[in-house]
Amino acid sequence: MATSYKELLHDITTFILDVDGVLTDGKLLISESGELLRTMNARDGYAMKTALNNGYNVCIITGGTNEGVKDRLVGLGIQDVFLNASDKMIQLHEYVAKHHLKPENIVFMGDDMPDVPAIKFVGLGCCPQDAIPEVKAVSQYISHKKGGDACVRDIIEQVMKVQGKWNVQDGKIVKST
């Protein structure tokens, strides 16, 4: 019998995420000067910062090259932001080795073809509701949320709740002891 994705949540220590189509809705607004603009959901930002504050690893691996995106993520406290990743497995293996991680302790969320190898490699591969069919076919969890619509918050909150670390008191998350 196949393992339910819910059973895998207990062992997660690390969240590795794509940007376009996951942290954003995948749409690009192009300014007159040619700058590519994106929007991100503040709820995803809150969840990533909360995960970091509770001892989880958070890493970003994206094919995008926008320094503004990197600045936003670094501003949340994410130290490992890999831009211009044409083969995401290179950065994924680097990150795993650097932090002595086991694949079964990692969530990877992606939405498009470059994410498929990483989704297959980790313990819990997942995607937004509007990911392409090839990604959905290899994901163990498909969020009910679309990319850019708090799908990252969805998976982080589930992991933290299962592990007893999403403790809300007076509207604020309190670190578990």
Side-chain angles (χ1 to χ4, degrees):
M1 188 167 120
T3 303
S4 160
Y5 89 92
K6 287 273 192 186
E7 295 171 41
L8 302 174
L9 301 179
H10 295 279
D11 298 323
I12 299 302
T13 63
T14 303
F15 300 95
I16 302 179
L17 310 163
D18 179 31
V19 173
D20 291 322
V22 174
L23 286 168
T24 76
D25 64 7
K27 296 176 185 172
L28 298 174
L29 179 63
I30 305 168
S31 72
E32 280 187 36
S33 66
E35 184 180 6
L36 302 178
L37 306 173
R38 299 158 174 87
T39 60
M40 291 185 176
N41 194 304
R43 290 181 182 152
D44 286 338
Y46 179 79
M48 290 184 290
K49 190 167 185 64
T50 301
L52 287 166
N53 290 342
N54 278 272
Y56 293 91
N57 303 306
V58 179
C59 172
I60 306 298
I61 303 177
T62 179
T65 59
N66 188 299
E67 287 294 326
V69 169
K70 183 175 183 175
D71 291 346
R72 159 71 176 147
L73 297 166
V74 169
L76 292 172
I78 301 169
Q79 296 179 8
D80 296 286
V81 180
F82 298 96
L83 301 180
N84 202 21
S86 57
D87 178 353
K88 294 182 182 187
M89 290 303 292
I90 294 169
Q91 286 81 8
L92 179 56
H93 285 298
E94 248 180 59
Y95 184 77
V96 166
K98 176 183 173 185
H99 294 281
H100 310 289
L101 301 172
K102 295 178 184 173
E104 59 266 24
N105 301 127
I106 301 171
V107 164
F108 185 96
M109 182 176 267
D111 71 304
D112 210 342
M113 290 306 294
D115 303 313
V116 169
I119 289 170
K120 288 180 169 181
F121 175 76
V122 300
L124 178 56
C126 59
C127 66
Q129 184 270 322
D130 57 345
I132 65 167
E134 293 87 347
V135 169
K136 287 181 174 182
V138 297
S139 293
Q140 291 144 298
Y141 173 66
I142 301 169
S143 176
H144 64 284
K145 298 282 192 174
K146 292 181 178 182
D149 189 30
C151 62
V152 170
R153 164 78 175 252
D154 172 37
I155 191 62
I156 290 174
E157 188 173 330
Q158 285 190 63
V159 168
M160 290 183 69
K161 281 181 176 177
V162 162
Q163 294 181 11
K165 294 181 179 179
W166 193 267
N167 300 322
V168 180
Q169 294 176 6
D170 297 325
K172 293 185 179 187
I173 293 184
V174 180
K175 277 189 180 181
S176 299
T177 52

